[in-house]
Amino acid sequence: MYDELLLPADGSPAVEAALPHALGLAELYDATIHVLYVADTDRDSLSVIGGEVYDALEQEGISVVDELVERIEARGIDCIGTVAQGGPREGIIEYVEENDIDAVVMATHGRHGVERLLLGSVTEHVVRTSPVPVLTVRVTE
């Protein structure tokens, strides 16, 4: 039923609320977890350091994904980590469609505070537009 699960990660503590649910489903269904970090290209994140172009969001994404993949694989669960660029809303849905994802597990909010209020929640968008079931996990302060 659920062979491929997607766990979007944005580097916020909210992913910690969704992670146990993704792990539980993966263990129950012997599923692979895909960890996806979308480096938001709508935000300015490029710097030049020592003549090299450095994308802070992409580097953060690599760190976040690597840490989660390591934790998931330590539980004996197959895991694929990906850092993509683009808008998080569209990037998550695109990843679902291109990777035959069976379900998405994500928190109800991340770290975008006022921006979330002004532009709308990434989770809300995914729930409304996802072609697969979305398990949302409420994060309390």
Side-chain angles (χ1 to χ4, degrees):
M1 175 173 250
Y2 299 117
D3 295 323
E4 307 293 329
L5 303 172
L6 177 60
L7 177 66
D10 66 356
S12 76
V15 74
E16 293 298 324
L19 181 59
H21 297 275
L23 293 170
L25 284 172
E27 288 171 344
L28 181 64
Y29 291 102
D30 192 29
T32 298
I33 296 177
H34 296 247
V35 176
L36 174 66
Y37 182 103
V38 181
D40 190 349
T41 55
D42 293 337
R43 295 174 52 199
D44 186 20
S45 64
L46 296 178
S47 300
V48 177
I49 301 173
E52 298 285 324
V53 176
Y54 176 82
D55 186 334
L57 286 177
E58 186 173 341
Q59 293 304 311
E60 176 187 18
I62 291 168
S63 175
V64 167
V65 168
D66 287 350
E67 189 266 334
L68 283 168
V69 167
E70 184 177 313
R71 289 172 58 193
I72 292 166
E73 288 179 339
R75 295 275 300 260
I77 297 169
D78 291 336
C79 189
I80 298 168
T82 303
V83 176
Q85 291 195 356
R89 295 172 183 169
E90 299 79 14
I92 292 168
I93 296 301
E94 185 176 300
Y95 191 91
V96 165
E97 293 170 343
E98 292 178 358
N99 292 278
D100 296 321
I101 299 298
D102 299 306
V104 179
V105 180
M106 63 190 305
T108 56
H109 75 275
R111 63 174 166 174
H112 299 294
V114 174
E115 181 179 318
R116 182 182 76 80
L117 293 175
L118 295 174
L119 301 176
S121 165
V122 171
T123 304
E124 178 186 4
H125 177 81
V126 171
V127 167
R128 286 187 293 107
T129 61
S130 176
V132 299
V134 180
L135 171 61
T136 58
V137 180
R138 185 170 180 254
V139 177
T140 56
E141 300 300 325

